Amino acid sequence: MAEKDLVEKKLEDHNDVFADILNTLLFQKRVLKESNLWNGPTESVYKSDRGKLHGQCRDTFKKYGEGLCLIIASFGIENQSGYERTMPVRIMGYDSASYKDQIEHEKGKLHPVITVVLNFSDSRWNKVKSLRDLMGTIPEELEPYFQDYRIHVFDIAFLEDSVIDSFQSDFRAVARFFRNRRLGQPALADDTELNYPEEITELMAVFTGEKRYMDLLPDVKAAKQKGARMTMCWVAQELIEKGERQGEMRGEERGEMRGEARGRKQGETLMATLMQRLFADGRMEDAKRAADSERDRKELYQEYGLMN
């Protein structure tokens, strides 16, 4: 569990990924600017009713605003590999510690603290999503005075294509990896160019438990230094070549990887054809859209009759 948390933190610590996750999943529009984010404290201490001190540590926590003089809000991301019944209480503790830190170190009025939970498991988080869900029967006389605490949970492996296509960072490839993996589809069938291929490769190694991803890490680092265009499909091709060199890849694995590699080559040919058509028609803005957005690219493929 600790290794998984560490890998997730490395990717989410990048401001573009952090902002993209919140903009896509929480706000469902572009609200946060990555340039206005900076790291906040992730560790805190609290005293229990029995007077004992306990330490607690968030996964990823960032402050948002116009420099240190104007903080608008603070945001946290917690990563889960599976369902945790007491998550609302845990999040409430994290957020409470952040408010106490504001009181101690910042002047003026408090700013909101908002935390989201990313569920990376193959099961939906269908149970406890609020403090109220943990309670038994609350007497009618007490109900008006009970303060609830809700949490925002997102099931990454169950995101729709439209949501996955809305991501603008490497998290698009991550989300598709988990969704495809859950559905039993080729997990590496994605042509999104990766800005952080090392972090992505480590993430796949940890969550799949497959040593071959970690073995591929030196090749990923070397290719990144050379400025290679790296995608999940690139990873598939490298796994084929490395497996064939070492003679370690099983037949079915090789077939799956070859299918993903073929998908990469077909995708590159398809995009090249689309670009030629757009340039010939003088549609420079549409060419830029096609390069930046997979969703726009698919619409243009259909418009030109390049795919069904």
Side-chain angles (χ1 to χ4, degrees), residues 115-293:
T115 302
V116 302
V117 179
L118 305 185
N119 171 29
F120 287 92
S121 75
D122 289 339
S123 300
R124 291 185 184 274
W125 193 294
N126 288 324
K127 299 180 182 178
V128 174
K129 293 184 179 180
S130 70
L131 187 61
R132 180 65 181 85
D133 293 338
L134 285 169
M135 299 291 170
T137 301
I138 298 178
E140 184 177 348
E141 298 82 2
L142 303 183
E143 186 73 48
Y145 309 101
F146 170 71
Q147 298 292 336
D148 201 359
Y149 204 86
R150 297 181 299 109
I151 60 176
H152 309 283
V153 182
F154 299 97
D155 300 315
I156 303 304
F158 291 84
L159 295 178
E160 299 291 337
D161 277 330
S162 58
V163 176
I164 294 176
D165 289 341
S166 296
F167 286 110
Q168 297 181 3
S169 70
D170 282 12
F171 203 78
R172 178 191 297 173
V174 171
R176 184 162 286 117
F177 174 83
F178 281 98
R179 200 278 307 274
N180 287 357
R181 183 166 167 263
R182 176 183 67 83
L183 295 175
Q185 298 175 355
L188 299 173
D190 186 276
D191 201 40
T192 301
E193 184 169 2
L194 303 177
N195 292 315
Y196 310 110
E198 296 174 48
E199 289 89 333
I200 298 290
T201 304
E202 289 180 347
L203 184 148
M204 292 188 296
V206 169
F207 274 95
T208 63
E210 295 186 24
K211 183 175 177 290
R212 58 178 179 166
Y213 288 113
M214 194 57 72
D215 290 342
L216 189 63
L217 195 55
D219 302 272
V220 171
K221 292 180 178 179
K224 183 179 179 181
Q225 291 177 349
K226 294 178 181 178
R229 182 181 185 274
M230 303 172 70
T231 67
M232 289 294 205
C233 291
W234 179 94
V235 172
Q237 180 64 41
E238 290 299 306
L239 286 174
I240 292 172
E241 295 177 0
K242 195 175 187 69
E244 288 178 342
R245 289 195 302 269
Q246 297 177 350
E248 295 177 347
M249 187 174 292
R250 299 193 307 269
E252 59 270 24
E253 290 176 327
R254 187 180 296 112
E256 180 180 341
M257 293 297 104
R258 286 195 183 282
E260 292 170 353
R262 282 196 300 271
R264 175 194 178 199
K265 291 184 180 296
Q266 292 171 356
E268 291 174 349
T269 301
L270 195 62
M271 186 169 181
T273 302
L274 175 62
M275 288 301 183
Q276 289 174 354
R277 298 279 187 88
L278 291 171
F279 288 147
D281 292 342
R283 300 174 62 175
M284 302 307 175
E285 287 299 319
D286 287 335
K288 184 178 184 304
R289 286 196 303 117
D292 294 339
S293 169

Side-chain angles (χ1 to χ4, degrees), residues 98-112:
S98 297
Y99 285 120
K100 290 178 181 178
D101 184 72
Q102 290 182 45
I103 293 173
E104 184 176 352
H105 297 103
E106 299 175 15
K107 298 179 181 179
K109 294 184 178 181
L110 301 181
H111 61 261

Side-chain angles (χ1 to χ4, degrees), residues 49-111:
D49 292 340
R50 299 180 181 180
K52 187 176 180 180
L53 293 177
H54 299 268
Q56 57 184 9
C57 186
R58 283 179 174 270
D59 284 348
T60 311
F61 186 65
K62 291 182 182 287
K63 296 185 178 182
Y64 185 81
E66 300 290 343
L68 297 176
C69 297
L70 179 58
I71 302 175
I72 298 173
S74 293
F75 297 95
I77 295 178
E78 296 301 314
N79 303 295
Q80 286 295 115
S81 299
Y83 171 69
E84 183 176 324
R85 178 174 174 271
T86 58
M87 201 67 184
V89 176
R90 180 173 147 195
I91 297 299
M92 186 168 59
Y94 291 155
D95 291 352
S96 174
S98 297
Y99 285 120
K100 290 178 181 178
D101 184 72
Q102 290 182 45
I103 293 173
E104 184 176 352
H105 297 103
E106 299 175 15
K107 298 179 181 179
K109 294 184 178 181
L110 301 181
H111 61 261

